[in-house]
Amino acid sequence: KTKIYYPALDGLRGLAILMVVLVHNFGFLHYFFFGWLGVDLFFVLSGFLITSILLSEAGTQKFLKNFYMRRMLRIFPIYFLTIAFCLLLMPIITSSLPMIYYKQHLLWFVLFAQNWLYIFNPPQGNSILLHFWSLAVEEQFYLFWPFIILLIRSERKLLWFVLSLLAFVMLLRYILWHLHIADLGYDSFYTFTRVDGICIGSAIAILWRIKPSFLKNYTSIIVLSLAAGNFVMYFLNKNATTRLPYLAFIGYTTFGVMFGLLLNEVITGSSKIIEALFNNKIMIFFGRISYGLYVYHWPVYLILSPVLKNYFATYTSNQNIALLCSSLLCTLLAIIVSYFSYRYFERYFLSLKTRFS
């Protein structure tokens, strides 16, 4: 059976959260434009880890109850705590971040369906909970995937299913783009239906059970195939009157596969460089607090950044320096909050997971 816990994956999770924080808190520095890919890395990790757990436990006593209880204990506490904070305390703290949109659509957040809400009714007033879209995508995956695994007991058939799902999502994005449906937020739809990483992570978990050497033997072919697909996309767009959206057509999948190959290298531990990059105390620390840091960093930034920027602007006439200082301090405060949240709040709920193992 596939091993479930790999310490270096905490380091890989640390990379994912650092990428997200960089693009959110330091987006004014164009060096970090790639940071949004951290979400796709999270998706690949979730697909791999959750599928590995489900395949190892499928058919055991109270399989579904144990799985869902553990997910609830991990996800719910700080998720709903943050929503309560934003709805109840935010209006008292500041009037610059109106919460009426989130109050009117609270049920979407309770049901973890806000990714679809954002497609047809984008957030108005402020984006303080905008980053919760990815949590909704993962929760929807958690909701249905265990039943699929129970229904398709053959691991080979399950692999074909997840690869077919990936192909279907890619085809669906093309069809919707071709139809040009009025009032459909295409950019949002492409973003919020990008389950490519989850499918790829799940496929790797299945491959590790049925043919562990597959990725090692075929890595070069996979990379060459991705390169060929990207070249085709480039030449199609070069002479096209209407450019095809790169990310929606092949970009999300390309990055998902590359992250999947990186995850495979981390798991095998065959590279000393990768081992040194991800299996160290700093990256593992960020991996451990990654969920809290993902949830907290954006609200902390939106609340404090304007105040801190004005404060630092009194000491320098360079607005970029004031913005950089405020972003650094916001990030440091978010890390501190996430650390204390993990140590004194989240770990209590995580300790309860042993009752459902």
Side-chain angles (χ1 to χ4, degrees):
K1 289 189 177 182
T2 308
K3 179 182 174 184
I4 299 298
Y5 179 66
Y6 303 87
L9 290 189
D10 278 332
L12 199 57
R13 194 179 287 109
L15 172 64
I17 189 57
L18 289 175
M19 290 170 69
V20 172
V21 171
L22 284 174
V23 75
H24 282 170
N25 290 13
F26 300 90
F28 55 91
L29 299 175
H30 300 299
Y31 306 107
F32 303 129
F33 70 93
F34 59 86
W36 59 269
L37 287 169
V39 174
D40 294 86
L41 179 51
F42 273 127
F43 283 165
V44 172
L45 284 165
S46 289
F48 175 80
L49 292 170
I50 294 303
T51 301
S52 296
I53 292 170
L54 290 172
L55 290 174
S56 296
E57 297 182 355
T60 59
Q61 189 177 16
K62 299 180 180 179
F63 162 64
L64 291 175
K65 176 186 175 181
N66 289 342
F67 173 75
Y68 287 122
M69 287 302 299
R70 291 199 303 268
R71 287 297 91 202
M72 289 169 62
L73 289 168
R74 184 68 188 104
I75 302 298
F76 282 19
I78 65 173
Y79 174 84
F80 286 108
L81 177 67
T82 304
I83 291 175
F85 171 83
C86 289
L87 296 184
L88 300 177
L89 297 181
M90 190 65 66
I92 300 173
I93 295 173
T94 177
S95 59
S96 63
L97 296 172
M99 301 301 299
I100 185 65
Y101 170 87
Y102 299 104
K103 290 181 179 179
Q104 290 176 341
H105 300 97
L106 178 60
L107 184 60
W108 290 83
F109 290 85
V110 172
L111 298 176
F112 286 90
Q114 61 268 21
N115 57 322
W116 299 104
L117 168 68
Y118 293 162
I119 293 170
F120 302 102
N121 189 358
Q124 301 165 8
N126 73 83
S127 60
I128 197 165
L129 297 179
L130 180 62
H131 61 309
F132 277 16
W133 71 268
S134 65
L135 301 181
V137 171
E138 291 201 22
E139 283 300 297
Q140 290 158 28
F141 164 65
Y142 297 152
L143 181 62
F144 295 106
W145 191 228
F147 292 98
I148 303 279
I149 287 179
L150 285 178
L151 183 65
I152 307 176
R153 301 309 295 266
S154 167
E155 291 175 351
R156 293 184 181 275
K157 290 181 180 178
L158 192 64
L159 178 61
W160 280 110
F161 173 86
V162 76
L163 293 177
S164 299
L165 177 60
L166 175 60
F168 171 76
V169 170
M170 297 173 68
L171 178 62
L172 178 62
R173 289 195 289 248
Y174 171 78
I175 293 172
L176 289 172
W177 174 85
H178 183 72
L179 292 176
H180 295 290
I181 301 172
D183 300 323
L184 178 64
Y186 282 90
D187 290 339
S188 297
F189 192 85
Y190 294 149
T191 300
F192 301 127
T193 56
R194 70 174 195 255
V195 295
D196 306 56
I198 293 177
C199 291
I200 291 162
S202 299
I204 292 173
I206 300 168
L207 277 172
W208 263 78
R209 292 177 67 91
I210 61 179
K211 196 171 183 181
S213 62
F214 178 86
L215 290 177
K216 179 181 178 181
N217 295 337
Y218 293 95
T219 294
S220 58
I221 294 176
I222 293 171
V223 172
L224 287 173
S225 299
L226 289 175
N230 280 270
F231 276 124
V232 169
M233 187 72 182
Y234 169 77
F235 287 113
L236 286 176
N237 271 337
K238 186 176 181 181
N239 300 313
T241 54
T242 304
R243 293 179 62 85
L244 304 174
Y246 167 73
L247 288 173
F249 277 47
I250 194 171
Y252 294 137
T253 310
T254 297
F255 290 119
V257 172
M258 296 307 293
F259 284 139
L261 294 176
L262 175 60
L263 178 146
N264 185 67
E265 286 296 316
V266 170
I267 293 170
T268 57
S270 56
S271 170
K272 292 183 178 180
I273 295 176
I274 290 178
E275 181 76 8
L277 285 173
F278 298 110
N279 198 7
N280 63 75
K281 292 182 179 180
I282 295 175
M283 296 303 291
I284 290 174
F285 167 77
F286 280 108
R288 293 274 171 83
I289 68 167
S290 60
Y291 176 48
L293 187 53
Y294 184 84
V295 169
Y296 299 136
H297 81 279
W298 189 233
V300 168
Y301 179 81
L302 289 183
I303 294 169
L304 297 180
S305 180
V307 178
L308 292 174
K309 182 183 177 182
N310 290 335
Y311 171 77
F312 287 114
T314 62
Y315 294 94
T316 177
S317 59
N318 190 319
Q319 293 298 310
N320 288 331
I321 292 178
L323 185 56
L324 178 61
C325 291
S326 67
S327 294
L328 286 170
L329 188 52
C330 285
T331 302
L332 178 60
L333 290 172
I335 292 171
I336 293 172
V337 170
S338 302
Y339 168 74
F340 282 101
S341 171
Y342 175 77
R343 183 166 183 177
Y344 299 107
F345 184 69
E346 295 170 60
R347 285 211 305 190
Y348 167 74
F349 295 98
L350 293 176
S351 68
L352 299 179
K353 290 170 65 174
T354 56
R355 302 180 183 182
F356 304 97
S357 59

